Amino acid sequence: MSSSTIIILSAFLFSFSIAASAANFYQDFEITWGDGRAKILNNGDLLTLSLDQASGSGFQSKNEYLFGKIDMQLKLVPGNSAGTVTAYYLSSKGSTWDEIDFEFLGNLSGDPYILHTNVFSQGKGNREQQFYLWFDPTADFHTYSILWNPQRIIFSVDGTPIREFKNMESKGVAFPKNQPMRIYSSLWNADDWATRGGLVKTDWSQAPFTASYRNFNADACVHWGSSSSCSSNSGSSNTWYSQELDSTNQDRLSWVQKNYMIYNYCTDTNRFPQGLPPECQSS
């Protein structure tokens, strides 16, 4: 085999290992709990989670990832979803885990869902930002994305950025960069806190509650043991590895945060009487 053939083959294998590809849920995920309440349907193109009074359900990715762009389309529980939480997140394991969270807090019919976001680094969270959405997330599928590279984490909805968490290790703020994470999702009852601080309880006469998933996409570095499908050099050849918000997306982020953000830990001086966290004090 010629050296040029080897180079071409190696490039192909590398691109395959990190390629963005439409998922098959049988191939990429495993159902982890729910006793039959989670189902993979349509030859692996659709996954549904359901919740009743006995149990919720959940799944996780077979792969672990260390940086990448993760997309998933979700259609949330319709109608009176008060008390329910649909969680979709990246997380590592252990007492000093890293985690990047989307959580969708249900509400009474006609009231908006709350999209709750958080970032944990080395076991420390308390970085909540919450949003209303500018559409009905139960009427159709919408794309929820996490872009995670060594410089920043960007949360997006249908391609519109809603939150950016920058690497501020220079200010002593830990940043998720060393621990590979799996994708997890679950639908569960949290009526002790999810809706109006627990004042509104789950109406079990509406059960089962169902959330649906499709079109998972991971343009990401897959991690196996101590190895990754991306080396430091090859990872940097992917646009997401060094991606940042351009001026258009900075404007879109500002629009979302001005019009749809309903809670920001970085402005909650009552919660942090000794001073806001250091990442909040940066321009």
Side-chain angles (χ1 to χ4, degrees), residues 205-227:
S205 71
Q206 305 296 312
F209 304 98
T210 301
S212 302
Y213 301 74
R214 72 179 188 189
N215 290 348
F216 165 71
N217 207 63
D219 188 1
C221 298
V222 177
H223 200 270
W224 306 285
S226 59
S227 301

Side-chain angles (χ1 to χ4, degrees), residues 7-283:
I7 291 170
I8 292 169
L9 179 59
S10 298
F12 169 78
L13 290 173
F14 173 72
S15 64
F16 178 79
S17 68
I18 63 165
S21 58
N24 180 294
F25 282 105
Y26 286 117
Q27 172 184 311
D28 295 303
F29 292 91
E30 54 190 359
I31 293 167
T32 48
W33 63 285
D35 195 23
R37 291 171 179 81
K39 293 182 171 64
I40 298 175
L41 306 167
N42 298 356
N43 297 315
D45 290 338
L46 180 71
L47 189 151
T48 62
L49 296 181
S50 66
L51 163 69
D52 57 34
Q53 198 160 5
S55 178
S57 50
F59 64 91
Q60 70 180 39
S61 63
K62 293 180 179 178
N63 287 327
E64 292 183 304
Y65 304 94
L66 187 61
F67 304 128
K69 184 174 184 294
I70 308 293
D71 305 309
M72 183 82 82
Q73 290 193 330
L74 279 75
K75 183 164 69 172
L76 300 178
V77 173
N80 180 1
S81 59
T84 70
V85 172
T86 306
Y88 158 55
Y89 59 101
L90 289 163
S91 182
S92 63
K93 294 292 191 182
S95 59
T96 55
W97 78 99
D98 295 337
E99 186 170 321
I100 305 169
D101 287 345
F102 277 112
E103 288 187 306
F104 304 89
L105 313 185
N107 217 329
L108 296 168
S109 299
D111 289 343
Y113 262 83
I114 291 174
L115 172 50
H116 174 102
T117 66
N118 205 349
V119 176
F120 288 75
S121 49
Q122 297 181 18
K124 181 184 182 300
N126 299 324
R127 300 185 177 107
E128 300 90 348
Q129 291 183 356
Q130 295 183 335
F131 306 84
Y132 288 142
L133 293 165
W134 50 96
F135 53 83
D136 178 358
T138 73
D140 203 352
F141 286 90
H142 292 270
T143 303
Y144 302 91
S145 304
I146 294 168
L147 185 146
W148 170 36
N149 66 32
Q151 296 81 38
R152 58 188 42 82
I153 295 163
I154 300 171
F155 297 77
S156 299
V157 177
D158 288 339
T160 296
I162 64 168
R163 176 176 186 177
E164 180 180 29
F165 183 81
K166 294 181 179 179
N167 183 334
M168 294 194 188
E169 290 177 302
S170 62
K171 294 182 177 293
V173 180
F175 185 83
K177 67 173 188 178
N178 297 316
Q179 300 186 64
M181 297 196 260
R182 291 188 194 277
I183 301 161
Y184 296 88
S185 191
S186 57
L187 174 58
W188 50 292
N189 177 46
D191 67 3
D192 56 334
W193 65 271
T195 306
R196 294 182 59 199
L199 294 176
V200 181
K201 300 301 183 182
T202 304
D203 180 358
W204 293 111
S205 71
Q206 305 296 312
F209 304 98
T210 301
S212 302
Y213 301 74
R214 72 179 188 189
N215 290 348
F216 165 71
N217 207 63
D219 188 1
C221 298
V222 177
H223 200 270
W224 306 285
S226 59
S227 301
S228 170
S229 62
C230 302
S231 69
S232 58
N233 292 329
S234 55
S236 61
S237 68
N238 297 284
T239 56
W240 53 261
Y241 194 84
S242 57
Q243 186 173 334
E244 56 188 89
L245 295 176
D246 59 19
S247 58
T248 298
N249 279 308
Q250 288 280 7
D251 290 343
R252 295 165 82 188
L253 175 68
S254 297
W255 173 78
V256 171
Q257 295 196 343
K258 178 181 178 181
N259 293 287
Y260 294 97
M261 180 183 280
I262 59 171
Y263 177 79
N264 181 4
Y265 78 109
C266 277
T267 60
D268 193 344
T269 53
N270 291 329
R271 182 179 177 188
F272 301 104
Q274 304 303 316
L276 294 171
E279 68 269 22
C280 300
Q281 299 166 24
S282 177
S283 59

